[in-house]
Amino acid sequence: NIGFVYGDPFKCDTDADFAAHACSLSVNGSKVADGTGANALDDPLNVLAWLANFLSKRGDPLEAGLLVTTGTCTGLVDVAPGDHLVGDFGAWGKVEATIVAREEST
């Protein structure tokens, strides 16, 4: 990963089915991938549980307020500077980003 794009926080229902929730990824206005939460270890909550257990075994806490990513639901796609990406999570919202070239330091 080179970057991570996230949107505004939202509160979902406590009975939300993360595994079944659909999402899509578009690049420059063309849909390039569809997916569901099940693409992340069958359920993104499984990833979160794995992380909490792993950290616990090391004696490290999983503290409130941390931003935890649980993997990709659409797979990885190649992008280039200038590409505009939209992650669409339906009723849960969208995130958008435009890729820019990294400035090389001298």
Side-chain angles (χ1 to χ4, degrees), residues 8-104:
D8 293 330
F10 73 98
K11 188 170 183 168
C12 63
D13 296 331
T14 57
D15 60 348
D17 187 349
F18 293 100
H21 193 79
C23 59
S24 66
L25 176 63
S26 297
V27 178
N28 300 325
S30 296
K31 188 186 292 187
V32 297
D34 287 304
T36 66
N39 290 344
L41 281 182
D42 296 325
D43 188 319
L45 295 178
N46 291 340
V47 179
L48 185 59
W50 177 89
L51 177 62
N53 290 329
F54 175 80
L55 291 175
S56 177
K57 288 178 185 174
R58 291 178 36 170
D60 296 325
L62 183 57
E63 297 177 359
L66 290 177
L67 178 63
V68 176
T69 65
T70 56
T72 176
C73 297
T74 60
L76 302 177
V77 299
D78 291 328
V79 295
D83 285 348
H84 182 77
L85 290 74
V86 177
D88 187 342
F89 297 86
W92 293 357
K94 294 181 182 181
V95 292
E96 299 187 38
T98 299
I99 305 301
V100 296
R102 181 188 312 189
E103 293 184 23
E104 298 296 324

